[in-house]
């Protein structure tokens, strides 16, 4: 009973988040006017802003603030031999069962009853392995030689460029390649909004190390993943590290930690951190015949580096942020829903309002203040639509941390503007001359590292 109630509450929260995301222009169902395409999602203006903020925090932490990381943006389509060597053609599959009666298909490992169809109660067929890569043909000829795949992970785009980075950048170990980009998996059962999609984005690092140093560097990335979780404002109390046991890890991994998150639909993976050994470079070296070894000038040794891979789902980050930030409360006797986003990820840091839209002197002053703040804080919005209460609710729902109102005192007495805090609803008066510094300090955008 309690379990059912918990499940119902989780479903209600997810419904509220999905509806807010659509209503306010964060995320829409893919191809919606045609009835949708399962497992695809389109980001609207606010979703793009949120996503870009997350990407830029990630890029700052893992690339710009370090001397040992190189950015890469590899092609999504790759030579089919990449996926043969990586093991994806042979083994990137999930167990599939089909109902003999209604022909609905399920992931066998997610069914509680392996015999009966959860949709119609019909009996289920044998379990088959279903390869999750989307296959296509490159060029006009459709034969075996033109087969290619939409990449199911960004990782391989970095392994195949290892030699290019060595030859062009001459880095010393340890160093890493970092990439943000789309990945595609033909999931048997896409579900839970952005959680399991067929098209999604990953932010991945392949960090090359001397074999003896992998443990120390693995621990370093455990802390860096935790730090990034804080950067985007997630409650670290909802994140749990799971040491993935032997037998459950991917074929290439000798150690994996899953960073799991308490989603409204249960505790499930958010990110992964894996020790991929020298598996990928060795496979690609033997399959392509390219020399993917590294020569250590100090020890005069030549060897294939080992790899630590922190892998972050971008869309899962967005979903975790929305789930963690979504709140409902009573403010001034009125119910409201709001997003308690940290300023660093909020699509807009500040909203500027004239108290009344039909008073030209208020509108002109508000526009002047809007323009001056925008130079220092570009993520700012002007809003004079509807009454002030409605404007507050709208900004609360999209997670804008501060609303700034120009009223009669601003223009008649020069006594500054009111600044309202999203979470408490409290207002303070701030002098115009101190406004930008005050906002920069409050929103922390100047100090994000
Ligand atoms: N290169 C390693 C790799 O791809 P993975 O655990 O299969 O490992 C890494 O995926 C991350 O990508 C996951 O932790 C998750 O955040 C994200 N991810 C994987 N499949 C996904 C899907 N179908 N929809 C959304 N995100 C997904």
């Amino acid at each position: 009973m309690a379990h059912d109630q918990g499940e119902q509450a989780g479903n209600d929260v997810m419904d509220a988040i999905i509806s807010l995301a659509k209503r306010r222009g964060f995320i829409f169902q893919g191809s919606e006017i045609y009835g949708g395409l399962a497992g695809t999602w389109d980001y609207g203006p606010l979703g793009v802003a949120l996503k870009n903020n997350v990407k830029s925090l990630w890029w700052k932490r893992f690339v710009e603030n370090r001397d040992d990381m190189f950015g890469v943006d590899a092609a999504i389509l790759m030579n089919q031999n990449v996926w043969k060597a990586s093991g994806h053609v042979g083994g990137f599959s999930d167990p599939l069962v089909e109902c003999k009666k209604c022909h609905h298909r399920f992931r066998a490992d997610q069914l509680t009853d392996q015999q009966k169809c959860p949709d119609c109660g019909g009996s289920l067929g044998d379990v088959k392995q279903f390869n999750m890569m989307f296959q296509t043909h490159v060029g006009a000829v459709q034969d075996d030689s033109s087969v290619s795949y939409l990449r199911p992970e960004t990782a391989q785009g970095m392994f195949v460029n290892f030699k290019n980075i060595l030859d062009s950048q001459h880095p010393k170990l340890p160093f890493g390649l970092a990439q943000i980009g789309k990945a595609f998996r033909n999931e048997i059962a896409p579900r839970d909004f952005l959680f399991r999609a067929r098209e999604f984005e990953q932010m991945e690092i392949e960090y090359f190390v001397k074999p003896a140093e992998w443990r120390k560097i693995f621990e370093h990335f455990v802390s860096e993943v935790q730090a990034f979780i804080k950067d985007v404002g997630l409650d670290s109390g909802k994140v749990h590290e799971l040491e993935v046991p032997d037998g459950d890890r991917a074929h290439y991994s000798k150690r994996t930690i899953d960073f799991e998150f308490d989603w409204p639909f249960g505790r499930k993976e958010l990110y992964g951190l894996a020790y991929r050994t020298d598996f990928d470079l060795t496979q690609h070296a033997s399959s392509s015949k390219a020399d993917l070894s590294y020569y250590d000038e100090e020890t005069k040794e030549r060897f294939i580096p080992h790899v630590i891979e922190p892998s972050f789902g971008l869309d899962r980050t967005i979903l975790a942020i929305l789930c963690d930030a979504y709140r409902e409360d009573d403010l001034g006797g009125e119910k409201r829903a709001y997003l308690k986003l940290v300023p660093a990820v909020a699509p807009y840091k500040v909203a500027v309002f004239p108290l009344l839209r039909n008073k030209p002197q208020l509108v002109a002053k508000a526009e002047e203040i809007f323009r001056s703040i925008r130079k220092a804080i570009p993520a700012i919005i002007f809003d004079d639509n509807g009454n002030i209460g409605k404007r507050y609710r709208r900004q609360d729902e999209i997670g804008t941390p501060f609303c700034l109102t120009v009223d009669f005192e601003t223009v008649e007495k020069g006594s500054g503007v009111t600044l309202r805090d999203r979470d408490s609803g409290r207002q303070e008066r701030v002098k115009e001359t101190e406004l930008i510094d005050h906002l920069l300090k409050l929103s922390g955008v100047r100090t994000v590292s």
Side-chain angles (χ1 to χ4, degrees):
M1 179 68 178
H3 178 72
D4 286 351
Q5 278 170 356
E7 199 174 304
Q8 187 54 46
N11 289 343
D12 291 348
V13 172
M14 285 306 291
D15 287 348
I17 291 169
I18 294 168
S19 139
L20 186 155
K22 176 174 160 67
R23 192 170 62 250
R24 294 298 181 198
F26 281 90
I27 297 148
F28 313 113
Q29 192 185 357
S31 314
E32 190 178 346
I33 61 167
Y34 284 97
L37 179 67
T40 65
W41 298 95
D42 294 346
Y43 284 72
L46 277 87
V48 171
L50 175 57
K51 211 173 175 184
N52 283 344
N53 291 339
V54 170
K55 286 190 208 180
S56 110
L57 286 169
W58 189 87
W59 199 259
K60 255 193 201 119
R61 169 166 293 283
F62 291 108
V63 183
E64 285 172 6
N65 288 356
R66 304 178 61 123
D67 302 323
D68 57 351
M69 211 68 94
F70 300 89
V72 171
D73 185 7
I76 288 174
L77 294 172
M78 302 175 85
N79 188 306
Q80 56 172 279
N81 291 325
V82 170
W83 304 108
K84 287 182 184 159
S86 68
H88 285 81
V89 169
F92 191 61
S93 19
D94 272 343
L96 170 88
V97 276
E98 186 171 325
C99 171
K100 289 182 184 160
K101 199 165 148 206
C102 71
H103 299 290
H104 288 176
R105 293 173 153 204
F106 307 93
R107 246 178 79 171
D109 55 338
Q110 286 176 349
L111 292 177
T112 33
D113 183 343
Q114 303 283 330
Q115 314 293 325
K116 266 198 199 140
C117 171
D119 287 352
C120 75
S123 60
L124 296 171
D126 294 337
V127 176
K128 291 183 195 137
Q129 287 304 314
F130 173 74
N131 193 299
M132 289 197 290
M133 284 199 293
F134 282 100
Q135 191 178 309
T136 186
H137 289 270
V138 175
V141 181
Q142 302 218 342
D143 62 12
D144 286 352
S145 70
S146 68
V147 166
S148 184
Y149 305 92
L150 299 185
R151 67 181 177 204
E153 61 171 8
T154 61
Q156 299 304 323
M158 293 182 270
F159 293 125
V160 301
N161 278 293
F162 173 75
K163 186 169 160 46
N164 284 331
I165 302 299
L166 275 190
D167 294 347
S168 63
Q169 314 297 311
H170 312 290
K172 297 249 173 304
L173 286 183
F175 72 89
L177 305 186
Q179 169 162 238
I180 300 178
K182 289 266 186 176
F184 303 81
R185 296 183 189 179
N186 199 359
E187 297 281 356
I188 296 167
R191 58 192 292 177
D192 298 318
F193 195 23
L194 308 174
F195 179 80
R196 183 170 297 117
R198 289 184 169 136
E199 174 173 344
F200 56 97
E201 262 182 282
Q202 291 184 318
M203 306 182 288
E204 294 199 298
I205 293 165
E206 305 306 326
Y207 196 80
F208 300 96
V209 304
K210 294 182 186 173
E213 291 178 350
W214 80 266
R215 282 189 182 78
K216 189 180 73 193
I217 292 174
F218 193 95
E219 293 310 325
H220 161 74
F221 278 109
V222 170
S223 330
E224 282 299 287
V225 174
Q226 291 164 346
F228 177 71
I229 284 168
K230 285 211 182 100
D231 289 345
V232 296
L234 289 178
D235 174 359
S236 33
K238 291 186 187 157
V239 180
H240 310 272
E241 287 163 28
L242 174 82
E243 188 75 50
V244 181
D246 288 354
D248 287 355
R249 288 190 297 267
H251 59 281
Y252 49 71
S253 176
K254 267 218 174 131
R255 185 181 176 195
T256 297
I257 288 184
D258 279 353
F259 292 79
E260 297 191 319
F261 183 74
D262 292 327
W263 309 92
F265 42 86
R267 186 176 291 182
K268 289 185 179 150
E269 181 179 336
L270 171 64
Y271 303 141
L273 174 63
Y275 168 41
R276 289 182 83 125
T277 68
D278 58 354
F279 176 82
D280 301 271
L281 288 184
T282 304
Q283 287 291 109
H284 289 307
S286 103
S287 173
S288 68
K289 309 292 174 234
D291 177 5
L292 301 183
S293 64
Y294 172 87
Y295 182 68
D296 188 331
E297 304 277 356
E298 279 167 29
T299 62
K300 311 288 179 216
E301 279 171 336
R302 186 169 276 286
F303 58 93
I304 301 268
H306 283 217
V307 169
I308 305 293
E309 179 197 63
S311 177
F312 303 73
L314 178 53
D315 309 82
R316 280 198 195 169
T317 310
I318 301 298
L319 182 58
I321 289 173
L322 292 176
C323 292
D324 195 26
Y326 182 79
R327 307 288 149 101
E328 290 174 1
D329 70 357
D330 255 296
L331 191 68
E334 245 189 84
K335 280 202 181 317
R336 68 160 180 171
Y338 69 105
L339 291 182
K340 197 171 158 62
L341 299 176
V342 290
V345 302
Y348 301 113
K349 319 301 175 202
V350 190
V352 176
F353 311 152
L355 180 64
L356 298 168
R357 74 188 298 192
N358 59 358
K359 298 288 174 199
Q361 78 273 37
L362 297 189
V363 175
K365 185 70 189 169
E367 281 173 352
E368 179 197 319
I369 290 178
F370 171 80
R371 280 194 297 271
S372 75
I373 298 176
R374 187 154 69 172
K375 286 187 196 132
I377 307 176
I380 178 172
I381 181 169
F382 186 89
D383 191 357
D384 62 357
N385 203 355
N387 70 38
I388 194 95
K390 279 211 180 104
R391 292 183 227 159
Y392 283 150
R393 295 294 166 274
R394 194 154 53 229
Q395 295 304 324
D396 290 347
E397 268 208 327
I398 63 174
T400 308
F402 306 104
C403 289
L404 181 163
T405 304
V406 169
D407 57 18
F408 291 104
E409 284 190 35
T410 318
V411 289
E412 286 165 8
K413 296 189 192 155
S415 55
V417 300
T418 64
L419 202 57
R420 173 186 173 273
D421 173 75
R422 174 196 62 207
D423 303 339
S424 64
R426 272 198 293 276
Q427 300 191 23
E428 58 174 331
R429 219 163 236 290
V430 182
K431 285 188 191 148
E432 254 185 79
T433 49
E434 293 168 9
L435 203 49
I436 291 178
D437 263 357
H438 194 69
L439 281 170
L440 282 171
K441 206 166 109 210
L442 281 180
S443 60
V445 283
R446 203 159 46 186
T447 56
V448 170
S449 60

